[in-house]
Amino acid sequence: MKPIGYWLNRTDQALTRHMDALLAEYGLTRLTWQVLNVVRAAPGVADTEVHTTLAANADTVALAAAVRTVLADGWATRPATGLLTLTAQGDARLAAVTERVAFFREAVIAGISLEEYGTAVRVLERMTRNLEGAPVAASTG
């Protein structure tokens, strides 16, 4: 059996690859789609909040590039310095992909019960909290 880190990495890479392919016809990537969703949920959100919200999804450089992309492509605008809000075009773009993403999510969890899915998420959350709250283990040698 391969360790959990192997499967976490493979799953994330597969999700990104398939989401990027799914969203390409809409001019989006998984990360730009995530940025737009954060902005939709909190109109007038600060760039720093977008970065904090999506920190587990990408590094600072990739997130800054995704923000620049949604601005350059006209899907978001700045109502004030350092703040983001969706444009009508950005809102329409998200609405257009919502159904496709829902079908994708269903395909991803095919054959997995809601109970199994919930257990997997809770276990990963607990592992993350264990690691984030724990001191780095020292090598014994």
Side-chain angles (χ1 to χ4, degrees):
M1 176 185 289
K2 300 240 187 245
I4 195 162
Y6 171 85
W7 289 112
L8 287 171
N9 289 329
R10 285 235 3 228
T11 302
D12 187 56
Q13 290 168 4
L15 284 169
T16 297
R17 186 174 58 253
H18 286 275
M19 284 287 294
D20 285 352
L22 173 83
L23 298 171
E25 72 180 87
Y26 299 96
L28 296 169
T29 65
R30 182 183 182 198
L31 190 55
T32 55
W33 173 78
Q34 290 168 331
V35 167
L36 290 176
N37 276 290
V38 171
V39 175
R40 175 190 263 174
V45 67
D47 287 32
T48 53
E49 183 64 24
V50 172
H51 284 250
T52 300
T53 301
L54 297 176
N57 302 51
D59 63 29
T60 303
V61 172
L63 285 168
V67 168
R68 284 192 305 274
T69 296
V70 301
L71 287 166
D73 290 345
W75 305 324
T77 189
R78 292 204 181 279
T81 304
L83 302 180
L84 296 163
T85 193
L86 287 185
T87 62
Q89 182 184 0
D91 194 53
R93 184 146 323 234
L94 277 177
V97 301
T98 298
E99 188 175 326
R100 298 277 310 270
V101 171
F103 286 126
F104 173 75
R105 286 180 174 157
E106 288 178 26
V108 169
I109 62 169
I112 300 169
S113 71
L114 290 176
E115 182 180 330
E116 290 171 313
Y117 181 83
T119 298
V121 170
R122 285 188 300 277
V123 167
L124 291 172
E125 180 181 9
R126 195 171 327 131
M127 289 175 72
T128 301
R129 293 194 190 288
N130 289 345
L131 290 167
E132 288 178 345
V136 176
S139 174
T140 58

mmCIF file of all heavy atoms in Angstrom, residues 52-80:
data_model
loop_
_atom_site.group_PDB
_atom_site.id
_atom_site.type_symbol
_atom_site.label_atom_id
_atom_site.label_comp_id
_atom_site.label_asym_id
_atom_site.label_seq_id
_atom_site.Cartn_x
_atom_site.Cartn_y
_atom_site.Cartn_z
ATOM 1 N N THR A 52 -5.084 34.365 1.804
ATOM 2 C CA THR A 52 -5.247 33.580 3.032
ATOM 3 C C THR A 52 -6.212 32.418 2.808
ATOM 4 O O THR A 52 -5.936 31.289 3.202
ATOM 5 C CB THR A 52 -5.760 34.477 4.176
ATOM 6 O OG1 THR A 52 -4.808 35.522 4.398
ATOM 7 C CG2 THR A 52 -5.972 33.697 5.453
ATOM 8 N N THR A 53 -7.321 32.693 2.160
ATOM 9 C CA THR A 53 -8.335 31.669 1.914
ATOM 10 C C THR A 53 -7.798 30.535 1.045
ATOM 11 O O THR A 53 -8.110 29.368 1.283
ATOM 12 C CB THR A 53 -9.579 32.292 1.249
ATOM 13 O OG1 THR A 53 -10.091 33.309 2.110
ATOM 14 C CG2 THR A 53 -10.654 31.260 0.983
ATOM 15 N N LEU A 54 -6.989 30.882 0.060
ATOM 16 C CA LEU A 54 -6.507 29.878 -0.904
ATOM 17 C C LEU A 54 -5.058 29.462 -0.675
ATOM 18 O O LEU A 54 -4.464 28.801 -1.529
ATOM 19 C CB LEU A 54 -6.686 30.415 -2.333
ATOM 20 C CG LEU A 54 -8.136 30.679 -2.746
ATOM 21 C CD1 LEU A 54 -8.189 31.311 -4.134
ATOM 22 C CD2 LEU A 54 -8.964 29.396 -2.693
ATOM 23 N N ALA A 55 -4.495 29.805 0.473
ATOM 24 C CA ALA A 55 -3.079 29.504 0.749
ATOM 25 C C ALA A 55 -2.747 28.022 0.631
ATOM 26 O O ALA A 55 -1.645 27.659 0.218
ATOM 27 C CB ALA A 55 -2.689 30.026 2.132
ATOM 28 N N ALA A 56 -3.691 27.153 0.974
ATOM 29 C CA ALA A 56 -3.432 25.713 0.875
ATOM 30 C C ALA A 56 -3.492 25.223 -0.566
ATOM 31 O O ALA A 56 -3.023 24.130 -0.868
ATOM 32 C CB ALA A 56 -4.434 24.941 1.725
ATOM 33 N N ASN A 57 -4.032 26.040 -1.459
ATOM 34 C CA ASN A 57 -4.219 25.624 -2.848
ATOM 35 C C ASN A 57 -3.067 26.014 -3.761
ATOM 36 O O ASN A 57 -2.880 25.400 -4.810
ATOM 37 C CB ASN A 57 -5.508 26.232 -3.403
ATOM 38 C CG ASN A 57 -6.717 25.834 -2.588
ATOM 39 O OD1 ASN A 57 -6.729 25.968 -1.375
ATOM 40 N ND2 ASN A 57 -7.742 25.348 -3.242
ATOM 41 N N ALA A 58 -2.335 27.059 -3.387
ATOM 42 C CA ALA A 58 -1.249 27.533 -4.248
ATOM 43 C C ALA A 58 -0.348 28.470 -3.457
ATOM 44 O O ALA A 58 -0.762 29.023 -2.436
ATOM 45 C CB ALA A 58 -1.825 28.262 -5.467
ATOM 46 N N ASP A 59 0.851 28.657 -3.984
ATOM 47 C CA ASP A 59 1.771 29.579 -3.320
ATOM 48 C C ASP A 59 1.432 31.024 -3.679
ATOM 49 O O ASP A 59 0.570 31.292 -4.529
ATOM 50 C CB ASP A 59 3.232 29.241 -3.650
ATOM 51 C CG ASP A 59 3.564 29.373 -5.133
ATOM 52 O OD1 ASP A 59 2.938 30.183 -5.844
ATOM 53 O OD2 ASP A 59 4.477 28.661 -5.586
ATOM 54 N N THR A 60 2.087 31.948 -3.030
ATOM 55 C CA THR A 60 1.805 33.372 -3.192
ATOM 56 C C THR A 60 1.982 33.841 -4.633
ATOM 57 O O THR A 60 1.176 34.620 -5.144
ATOM 58 C CB THR A 60 2.716 34.195 -2.261
ATOM 59 O OG1 THR A 60 2.490 33.742 -0.918
ATOM 60 C CG2 THR A 60 2.411 35.672 -2.323
ATOM 61 N N VAL A 61 3.020 33.350 -5.298
ATOM 62 C CA VAL A 61 3.287 33.757 -6.679
ATOM 63 C C VAL A 61 2.152 33.307 -7.600
ATOM 64 O O VAL A 61 1.649 34.084 -8.415
ATOM 65 C CB VAL A 61 4.650 33.196 -7.159
ATOM 66 C CG1 VAL A 61 4.866 33.444 -8.638
ATOM 67 C CG2 VAL A 61 5.787 33.794 -6.339
ATOM 68 N N ALA A 62 1.722 32.048 -7.454
ATOM 69 C CA ALA A 62 0.636 31.531 -8.295
ATOM 70 C C ALA A 62 -0.674 32.257 -8.012
ATOM 71 O O ALA A 62 -1.437 32.561 -8.943
ATOM 72 C CB ALA A 62 0.476 30.031 -8.088
ATOM 73 N N LEU A 63 -0.934 32.555 -6.748
ATOM 74 C CA LEU A 63 -2.161 33.278 -6.403
ATOM 75 C C LEU A 63 -2.146 34.697 -6.950
ATOM 76 O O LEU A 63 -3.155 35.172 -7.477
ATOM 77 C CB LEU A 63 -2.363 33.292 -4.889
ATOM 78 C CG LEU A 63 -2.838 31.960 -4.302
ATOM 79 C CD1 LEU A 63 -2.718 31.973 -2.787
ATOM 80 C CD2 LEU A 63 -4.270 31.680 -4.724
ATOM 81 N N ALA A 64 -1.018 35.364 -6.850
ATOM 82 C CA ALA A 64 -0.917 36.729 -7.400
ATOM 83 C C ALA A 64 -1.133 36.701 -8.912
ATOM 84 O O ALA A 64 -1.816 37.573 -9.466
ATOM 85 C CB ALA A 64 0.439 37.338 -7.050
ATOM 86 N N ALA A 65 -0.592 35.689 -9.570
ATOM 87 C CA ALA A 65 -0.783 35.559 -11.019
ATOM 88 C C ALA A 65 -2.248 35.299 -11.351
ATOM 89 O O ALA A 65 -2.776 35.852 -12.331
ATOM 90 C CB ALA A 65 0.104 34.438 -11.572
ATOM 91 N N ALA A 66 -2.919 34.477 -10.551
ATOM 92 C CA ALA A 66 -4.335 34.198 -10.787
ATOM 93 C C ALA A 66 -5.179 35.461 -10.600
ATOM 94 O O ALA A 66 -6.104 35.718 -11.381
ATOM 95 C CB ALA A 66 -4.817 33.083 -9.856
ATOM 96 N N VAL A 67 -4.856 36.255 -9.599
ATOM 97 C CA VAL A 67 -5.569 37.520 -9.389
ATOM 98 C C VAL A 67 -5.334 38.452 -10.578
ATOM 99 O O VAL A 67 -6.275 39.065 -11.096
ATOM 100 C CB VAL A 67 -5.159 38.187 -8.053
ATOM 101 C CG1 VAL A 67 -5.657 39.627 -7.972
ATOM 102 C CG2 VAL A 67 -5.668 37.370 -6.870
ATOM 103 N N ARG A 68 -4.086 38.550 -11.029
ATOM 104 C CA ARG A 68 -3.798 39.384 -12.207
ATOM 105 C C ARG A 68 -4.585 38.901 -13.424
ATOM 106 O O ARG A 68 -5.111 39.710 -14.197
ATOM 107 C CB ARG A 68 -2.297 39.384 -12.519
ATOM 108 C CG ARG A 68 -1.483 40.261 -11.585
ATOM 109 C CD ARG A 68 -0.060 40.484 -12.082
ATOM 110 N NE ARG A 68 0.676 39.265 -12.343
ATOM 111 C CZ ARG A 68 1.364 38.567 -11.432
ATOM 112 N NH1 ARG A 68 1.379 38.979 -10.161
ATOM 113 N NH2 ARG A 68 2.016 37.473 -11.768
ATOM 114 N N THR A 69 -4.704 37.591 -13.578
ATOM 115 C CA THR A 69 -5.433 37.029 -14.721
ATOM 116 C C THR A 69 -6.906 37.399 -14.670
ATOM 117 O O THR A 69 -7.473 37.824 -15.683
ATOM 118 C CB THR A 69 -5.276 35.492 -14.763
ATOM 119 O OG1 THR A 69 -3.900 35.177 -14.976
ATOM 120 C CG2 THR A 69 -6.109 34.874 -15.870
ATOM 121 N N VAL A 70 -7.556 37.239 -13.516
ATOM 122 C CA VAL A 70 -8.985 37.551 -13.458
ATOM 123 C C VAL A 70 -9.232 39.046 -13.657
ATOM 124 O O VAL A 70 -10.275 39.431 -14.192
ATOM 125 C CB VAL A 70 -9.670 37.014 -12.173
ATOM 126 C CG1 VAL A 70 -9.529 35.505 -12.073
ATOM 127 C CG2 VAL A 70 -9.198 37.694 -10.921
ATOM 128 N N LEU A 71 -8.281 39.864 -13.261
ATOM 129 C CA LEU A 71 -8.398 41.308 -13.521
ATOM 130 C C LEU A 71 -8.178 41.618 -15.004
ATOM 131 O O LEU A 71 -8.976 42.335 -15.616
ATOM 132 C CB LEU A 71 -7.395 42.080 -12.666
ATOM 133 C CG LEU A 71 -7.718 42.175 -11.180
ATOM 134 C CD1 LEU A 71 -6.500 42.642 -10.390
ATOM 135 C CD2 LEU A 71 -8.908 43.096 -10.948
ATOM 136 N N ALA A 72 -7.110 41.065 -15.565
ATOM 137 C CA ALA A 72 -6.767 41.336 -16.970
ATOM 138 C C ALA A 72 -7.844 40.829 -17.923
ATOM 139 O O ALA A 72 -8.114 41.450 -18.956
ATOM 140 C CB ALA A 72 -5.417 40.713 -17.321
ATOM 141 N N ASP A 73 -8.468 39.712 -17.580
ATOM 142 C CA ASP A 73 -9.494 39.145 -18.447
ATOM 143 C C ASP A 73 -10.875 39.749 -18.229
ATOM 144 O O ASP A 73 -11.843 39.361 -18.874
ATOM 145 C CB ASP A 73 -9.546 37.626 -18.272
ATOM 146 C CG ASP A 73 -8.310 36.934 -18.849
ATOM 147 O OD1 ASP A 73 -7.562 37.570 -19.613
ATOM 148 O OD2 ASP A 73 -8.099 35.753 -18.527
ATOM 149 N N GLY A 74 -10.960 40.697 -17.297
ATOM 150 C CA GLY A 74 -12.216 41.413 -17.090
ATOM 151 C C GLY A 74 -13.249 40.679 -16.257
ATOM 152 O O GLY A 74 -14.420 41.035 -16.261
ATOM 153 N N TRP A 75 -12.853 39.654 -15.498
ATOM 154 C CA TRP A 75 -13.793 38.898 -14.683
ATOM 155 C C TRP A 75 -13.930 39.498 -13.298
ATOM 156 O O TRP A 75 -14.887 39.220 -12.584
ATOM 157 C CB TRP A 75 -13.382 37.439 -14.579
ATOM 158 C CG TRP A 75 -13.210 36.802 -15.926
ATOM 159 C CD1 TRP A 75 -13.953 37.046 -17.055
ATOM 160 C CD2 TRP A 75 -12.227 35.859 -16.311
ATOM 161 N NE1 TRP A 75 -13.486 36.303 -18.101
ATOM 162 C CE2 TRP A 75 -12.420 35.550 -17.673
ATOM 163 C CE3 TRP A 75 -11.196 35.222 -15.643
ATOM 164 C CZ2 TRP A 75 -11.629 34.648 -18.368
ATOM 165 C CZ3 TRP A 75 -10.407 34.319 -16.341
ATOM 166 C CH2 TRP A 75 -10.636 34.042 -17.684
ATOM 167 N N ALA A 76 -12.939 40.284 -12.914
ATOM 168 C CA ALA A 76 -12.992 40.989 -11.632
ATOM 169 C C ALA A 76 -12.458 42.395 -11.853
ATOM 170 O O ALA A 76 -11.788 42.677 -12.845
ATOM 171 C CB ALA A 76 -12.152 40.257 -10.582
ATOM 172 N N THR A 77 -12.788 43.264 -10.913
ATOM 173 C CA THR A 77 -12.331 44.640 -10.972
ATOM 174 C C THR A 77 -11.962 45.079 -9.557
ATOM 175 O O THR A 77 -12.268 44.385 -8.595
ATOM 176 C CB THR A 77 -13.422 45.552 -11.588
ATOM 177 O OG1 THR A 77 -12.867 46.837 -11.830
ATOM 178 C CG2 THR A 77 -14.637 45.655 -10.705
ATOM 179 N N ARG A 78 -11.339 46.222 -9.477
ATOM 180 C CA ARG A 78 -10.951 46.763 -8.174
ATOM 181 C C ARG A 78 -11.843 47.960 -7.831
ATOM 182 O O ARG A 78 -11.704 49.023 -8.416
ATOM 183 C CB ARG A 78 -9.499 47.209 -8.217
ATOM 184 C CG ARG A 78 -8.544 46.047 -8.344
ATOM 185 C CD ARG A 78 -7.182 46.435 -7.811
ATOM 186 N NE ARG A 78 -6.224 45.367 -7.924
ATOM 187 C CZ ARG A 78 -6.110 44.351 -7.074
ATOM 188 N NH1 ARG A 78 -6.922 44.272 -6.047
ATOM 189 N NH2 ARG A 78 -5.199 43.417 -7.244
ATOM 190 N N PRO A 79 -12.754 47.789 -6.865
ATOM 191 C CA PRO A 79 -13.567 48.925 -6.436
ATOM 192 C C PRO A 79 -12.732 49.933 -5.643
ATOM 193 O O PRO A 79 -13.109 51.096 -5.531
ATOM 194 C CB PRO A 79 -14.656 48.284 -5.562
ATOM 195 C CG PRO A 79 -14.041 47.013 -5.071
ATOM 196 C CD PRO A 79 -13.098 46.563 -6.157
ATOM 197 N N ALA A 80 -11.607 49.457 -5.082
ATOM 198 C CA ALA A 80 -10.641 50.292 -4.360
ATOM 199 C C ALA A 80 -9.315 49.536 -4.364
ATOM 200 O O ALA A 80 -9.279 48.336 -4.622
ATOM 201 C CB ALA A 80 -11.112 50.553 -2.935
#
